[in-house]
Amino acid sequence: MTIELVDGKAGVEHISSEDKAIIHQAKFGKSDMVFDWGDALKCSIVSSNKATIGTGCASIQGLDWHITAAERVTIQNGSQGMKRNDIIAAHYHRDSTSGNEKVELVVLKGTPDSNTAADPTIPSGKILSGAVDAYMPLWRIPLDGITVGTPVRLFTPRGALWDSVTQTLIKSQYGTVTGVKSGKIAQISINWKSASPDSWGRGQFGTIPEGWRPAVVTHGTWSGRDGGSQRDFILETNGNFSYANCGAVQNSGTFSGTMTYILA
């Protein structure tokens, strides 16, 4: 039988985590979510290699999880003269033998670089497609030498009733990316505070969450009022969102733009 009353009494155990994930995704979307409850998973640096994540409630690919008392994570020490970005993430794991599932906090270590730090690659995995591991990025921890910088939040807490039309997709100290969608069409708006002034320089906006990613690599353009600045916005199918300067030295100030595309 292909019809199941998930919340109804069946006389046998029948409600699975797969049921829960499917219905949650159908109601609220496929994106990972952090809700405005408790400390909303606030990150605090307590020493040169320790951070705490406060209480909160979240959902990874439709499976709800929460922290009821602050959790501590360990960050590997930095190196003199090197920059690095680490990512604190929630790690979902299902034991392939017993089927038991759990979520725990992990630190994904970035690659040290003497000039520019980049985020580590977040391992991909679709729980409903059978993956036994999935990751939900929460905080970026920047390191400059042995100094731990201010944590950067990689999510926007959602209230009990959030705006179902316009959503914040990326929020950082440098700006925001918001979006609206209807059916298979999405439009996103970029409002950014600064940019690389270098000829043919590049920069990162961040990662667009699942459910908002394009069917194909999508490009958008921005032209500055100075008549000499132009940038190419590049949104990849994995959600990576970046820009590339086109031509000579560019304006490094505030810029904004929009892109419309077909959803995957």
Side-chain angles (χ1 to χ4, degrees):
M1 186 174 180
T2 57
I3 300 176
E4 179 184 4
L5 180 59
V6 173
D7 294 332
K9 181 177 180 180
V12 295
E13 294 183 356
H14 69 102
I15 301 175
S16 67
S17 60
E18 181 182 34
D19 292 328
K20 178 65 173 59
I22 290 172
I23 292 174
H24 192 289
Q25 288 188 12
K27 287 181 177 179
F28 306 114
K30 296 181 180 180
S31 302
D32 295 335
M33 302 175 188
V34 175
F35 303 101
D36 190 8
W37 179 87
D39 294 327
L41 305 182
K42 180 181 178 180
C43 180
S44 302
I45 301 299
V46 296
S47 71
S48 60
N49 68 341
K50 298 288 184 184
T52 60
I53 302 297
T55 58
C57 181
S59 175
I60 179 170
Q61 297 185 30
L63 296 178
D64 293 337
W65 59 277
H66 64 183
I67 296 177
T68 56
E71 291 275 332
R72 180 165 292 193
V73 296
T74 300
I75 302 162
Q76 187 171 323
N77 290 331
S79 304
Q80 289 284 3
M82 304 296 283
K83 297 180 180 180
R84 194 180 87 219
N85 283 347
D86 288 358
I87 298 293
I88 298 176
H91 173 210
Y92 162 91
H93 177 72
R94 185 181 73 253
D95 186 277
S96 57
T97 301
S98 67
N100 293 338
E101 300 164 292
K102 66 177 181 179
V103 169
E104 60 185 356
L105 297 178
V106 297
V107 178
L108 302 174
K109 181 184 175 184
T111 301
D113 189 277
S114 58
N115 295 313
T116 305
D119 291 350
T121 299
I122 308 297
S124 61
K126 304 288 188 183
I127 297 171
L128 289 178
S129 296
V132 298
D133 291 285
Y135 294 82
M136 176 180 176
L138 300 172
W139 292 88
R140 176 187 298 117
I141 307 297
L143 293 96
D144 189 347
I146 60 174
T147 301
V148 180
T150 302
V152 178
R153 191 173 64 187
L154 302 179
F155 60 88
T156 299
R158 300 176 185 268
L161 294 172
W162 63 85
D163 186 349
S164 61
V165 178
T166 301
Q167 296 189 31
T168 300
L169 308 178
I170 295 173
K171 184 175 182 179
S172 80
Q173 59 185 318
Y174 303 109
T176 60
V177 177
T178 58
V180 295
K181 59 182 176 180
S182 177
K184 295 292 288 184
I185 303 297
Q187 183 180 72
I188 56 176
S189 298
I190 304 101
N191 289 283
W192 223 245
K193 298 177 182 178
S194 63
S196 167
D198 299 336
S199 173
W200 302 105
R202 302 180 68 91
Q204 289 286 332
F205 294 118
T207 302
I208 295 294
E210 289 188 34
W212 291 86
R213 297 176 182 177
V216 297
V217 175
T218 302
H219 294 260
T221 58
W222 172 85
S223 295
R225 294 179 63 186
D226 57 12
S229 296
Q230 185 171 353
R231 296 191 177 100
D232 180 21
F233 297 156
I234 308 151
L235 178 55
E236 302 175 48
T237 55
N238 63 2
N240 184 60
F241 194 22
S242 62
Y243 68 84
N245 291 339
C246 301
V249 174
Q250 305 278 308
N251 189 321
S252 64
T254 299
F255 66 98
S256 61
T258 60
M259 291 175 62
T260 302
Y261 55 91
I262 298 175
L263 293 163

